[in-house]
Amino acid sequence: MLGKKRAKGLNIIIVGCGRVGITLIEQLSAEGHSITVIDKDADLINELINFYDIMGVVGNGASFSMQIEAGIKDTDLIIAVTDSDELNLLCCTVARRVGNCSAIARVRNPDYSLEIDYLRNKLGLAMIINPELEASREMARVLLLPTALDVNSFAHGQAELVKFKVTSGSMIDGMTVADVGAKTENVLICAIDRKGKIHIPSGDFVIQAGDNISVAAPRKVVREFFKAIGFKTHHVKDAMIIGGGDSAYYLARQLHHVGIGVKIIEKNKDRCEELSMLLPKSTIINGDGTDEDLLKEEGIESVESFIPLTGSDEENILLTLYANRVSNAKVITKINRLTFNDVIDGLDLGSIIYPRYITTEAIIAYVRAKSASRGNNIETLYHMFSQRAEAIEFRVDEDYPGITGKQLMELKLKKDLLIAFINRKGKIIIPGGRDTILAGDTVMIVTTNKGFNDISEILA
C-alpha cells in the first residue's frame, strides 16, 4: 500500500480515480477523512498520493485481496465510481460481505435505472447514484421555469432553491431585499453573487442589475414570486437536444412526462434507431448536430430550448454560444470537466449543469450525515455559486439544547449564515424571528461557511 494515512474522520475507500473519484478525493480529504483509493493505473495512484494526503492500492477494486490490502475490515464506507456499473456493484457487494461498512455505487446504465431501489435493497447498499439521471431531473426543472438558471429541490420536492439573474431594467433593480420579499409571501432571498463575491444579505441590501440571486420558497409559490417581480413564468413548449447518449434519453423521458416536445439530433444511425424505439414520442434526426445548415433546417432559430449533450465540453459550449446568437432559446450547457472555471463563468452559457457535482454532493451529504455525532442527519446538500456557498438541509431527530424550542431571534448564529426554511410535516415555513425549530423538523441553512456536519454547528 502506498501513501500515508491520517487518523481522523471516517475511513473511506474510493474505487476508481476518474473525474468523480478525484473530485471525491479532493473534497473528502479536505473535510478531514482518511482516504484510501484503489485503481489499476499505477501512475495515477502515485500522482494522487503525492498530491493528496491519502493512501493508494494498485489493482482491481472488486478483488477480495485488494480490498483486504486497502483495509476494508476497518473501513466505514466504500464508494465505487469506476466506469463499469457492474464492477461498481460487485465492489460494493464484496465489501459488504468482507467488512462492516456502508457502500455507495455509481450506476449509469438505463437498463438499471428502473431497478435502483431493488438493487440497493437486495445488495444492502447505502446509495446507488445515477449522475445522468439526476442531471436530467435538474435540467427538466429548469425548463419548467426557464427564467431560472438553477432549480434545486429540497424537502422531498416541497421546497425549491432557485437562482436567477437580475437584468438591466428589471423591476427589482435598485430595490432592497426587504422590498422584494414584501412583494410575495413565503419567499426568502438567501444569497447574492455580485461580481464573484457571495453575500448572505440582510433586509437593507440593495439589489443591482447583474446580480445572481438565490431564493428559497415552497415549490407552489415560486411561479407567483417570479410573476410578481416581472419575470416570465411559462415553461418551454419544445426542446432540441444535440447528442443521443444516456443523458439525452433520460432528459427526453423527463420532458415527455410534462408535455414538452423533444427533437434529438444524433450522428450514429444505429443509436437513432434505438432511440426511436425507446422514445416513440420524440423526433429523432440522424445527422451532425454541429452542422449549422442542419441546425437551421431543424428549427434552431425558433425552438424554445436548446440543450447540447455531446460527449465534448468544448462542443457543448460552442453550440450553446451559437444558439444564443441565432435564437432566443433557453439554453442549458452540460459540462463534465471543471477546468477553466473563470473562463466558463464569463461566458453566457445559460444554465450550467455539472453531473460530477451532482454525484459528489449526494455522496458528501451522506458522508457528513454519517460523521454527525448526534441524532440528526443531512437530507440534502447543494454547493452554490461554484462551491463558494452551501445549502444544507438537516433533519432534526431530537431536541437540541440552545436550538430547538427557541425563537430564531434568540439564536446566536454564525456570521454569513441564514436559516432559509423549516419543513414541519410537509409544510414549508419561511421563518421569521419568532419561529422555532422543533424535533422532527428539517431545516435548510445557506452559508459561506464550509463543512457543516451537524445542526449544532450553526451557532456562533
Side-chain angles (χ1 to χ4, degrees), residues 24 27 52 61 80 138 197 273 275 291 326 344 398 406:
L24 286 169
Q27 297 193 18
Y52 299 101
E138 190 166 325
K197 182 177 180 181
E273 292 176 357
L275 287 172
D291 184 319
V326 301
I344 289 170
E398 61 182 53
K406 280 195 155 192

Side-chain angles (χ1 to χ4, degrees), residues 152-174:
N152 289 278
S153 180
F154 293 82
H156 301 290
Q158 296 304 305
E160 290 181 337
L161 184 66
V162 181
K163 183 172 81 173
F164 66 98
K165 186 168 187 174
V166 180
T167 55
S168 180
S170 168
M171 177 193 300
I172 64 173
D173 183 8

